[in-house]
Structure formats: structure tokens, C-alpha cells
Amino acid sequence: MRIKVLLTGFDPFNCAKFNPSQEIIKAISNRSIDGVELFTALLPTIYHQSVSELQAHLVEISPDVVISIGQAEGRSAISLESVAVNLDDASIADNAGEQRTGLPIFANGPATYLSTLPIYEIVDAIKSKGIPAEVSESAGAFVCNHLFYSLQHQLAESNIKSGFIHVPLLPEQLVDFPSQPTMSLQEMVEAIVVAIEVSVRS
């Protein structure tokens, strides 16, 4: 019996032409991973719509593992996010034009949720492939964190492993983000495959 894994990414935002998480989803969607039934979904970079679409996929698929990925400019490593915070506080608007500053995601929700992915094992396994990886304690306060917190909130009482991974920019994005660190799509795809494999095994 294969383990069901749902992998989600985001579309480009803030007038950018690319989002590496979208390109990873495209590249990995037809990959065969031993013991895994892989489902992928591209979510809009919109606060509430991203969550509602993710919830629909959760109901439809009933996955055993959920890994969401997103772009984090300025980072040079695959970042396994350890904690989601109950806060929307971004300097830019989402793709629907909504800008949220200093607002809780759930008014009566806890301050934080922890990832339930085996993040330290994943980091070690990715690094063993020669790909930079790290555990991060900040998923930001934009749509990525909003989705991460909402995901952990929904699955808090379940046995489903879930969490969020931030990835660096692609080299093609240097036009939009001059002088920022980048990583090849091939390395990112390999890292996410490793993350899936470790999550399924653990």
C-alpha cells in the first residue's frame, strides 16, 4: 500500500514572472517515488483562497503527508520551517490586492503551531546530497505562513504529517531580484523528493 502525499506550491506574486515552488510542482508531478502516491496542487498566492483550495484537496485526497512549499527570496538553502505563527503582517498585498498587517489568522487560535514533519531528519538527508538545507524558525507573515498556520490548525488533532518548506529563488529570477542567492531547479526538485521520502519513512 502506497502512502498518499499532497505537495502544494504557489503561483508567482508581487508582479514576479516565476515562483520556484510552481516550477518544482511542474517538474515533480510526474515523478515516481517508491511507496508514494503523489498528488500535487498549485495554490493562488491569496490569503483565504489558498486555504480554501487546500482544504478542498485535503477532503478529496485524504493524504497521509502534506508538504507545502513556497518562495523565500534572500535564502540560499532549502528551509524546513519549524513553526507557524498566528499573524498576518506583510508589506505587500496578495494577488487579490489584500494587504494584511498586524492581524491574527484565527482570533482564538494558539500563538504558534509546530511542523509535524521530521524536519531535522529531512535537513540531514538533503545535506547528505550536497544541497544546502536548514531548519528555519521564521516562515514570515505573508501567505506562506498563513497557509502553514491554517494547515497545522486544521490537522492539529489528526495523524497526518504536515509542514512547510521555503525554497530559494531560481537563477531566472535575478532579473526581478538582483544580487539575491539562487538555487537550480534540479537541486530544489531533488531536495523536495528527499523530503517526501524521509517523511514517508519516518
Side-chain angles (χ1 to χ4, degrees), residues 5 10-11 14 19 32 63 71 79 84 91 98 105 115 127 130 154 157 175-176 180 190 192:
V5 176
F10 285 107
D11 62 1
N14 200 27
N19 188 318
S32 177
Q71 167 185 310
S79 298
S91 60
E98 181 180 7
I105 298 169
S115 173
K127 290 168 73 173
Q154 180 169 349
E157 302 301 322
V175 173
D176 296 318
Q180 295 288 345
E190 184 174 0
I192 298 305

Side-chain angles (χ1 to χ4, degrees), residues 33-146:
I33 304 173
D34 287 346
V36 172
E37 185 176 4
L38 180 63
F39 300 84
T40 60
L42 183 66
L43 304 176
T45 308
I46 299 173
Y47 288 106
H48 299 299
Q49 188 177 341
S50 65
V51 173
S52 63
E53 290 192 16
L54 176 59
Q55 288 173 338
H57 289 300
L58 293 176
V59 170
E60 179 183 359
I61 297 166
S62 296
D64 303 292
V65 177
V66 183
I67 300 176
S68 294
I69 56 177
Q71 167 185 310
E73 57 271 17
R75 301 199 194 186
S76 58
I78 303 295
S79 298
L80 276 292
E81 297 298 347
S82 61
V83 59
V85 298
N86 190 11
L87 178 67
D88 288 335
D89 190 28
S91 60
I92 61 174
D94 69 7
N95 283 352
E98 181 180 7
Q99 184 169 356
R100 294 174 60 83
T101 54
L103 297 174
I105 298 169
F106 288 99
N108 298 315
T112 62
Y113 280 110
L114 297 179
S115 173
T116 54
L117 298 175
I119 57 175
Y120 292 95
E121 293 175 50
I122 292 172
V123 165
D124 288 344
I126 293 173
K127 290 168 73 173
S128 75
K129 301 288 187 180
I131 302 170
E134 64 186 3
V135 172
S136 166
E137 296 177 353
S138 175
F142 190 45
V143 179
C144 287
N145 176 75
H146 183 95

Side-chain angles (χ1 to χ4, degrees), residues 174-191:
L174 284 174
V175 173
D176 296 318
F177 301 94
S179 303
Q180 295 288 345
T182 64
M183 182 179 288
S184 72
L185 178 61
Q186 180 180 351
E187 287 183 304
M188 292 191 206
V189 170
E190 184 174 0

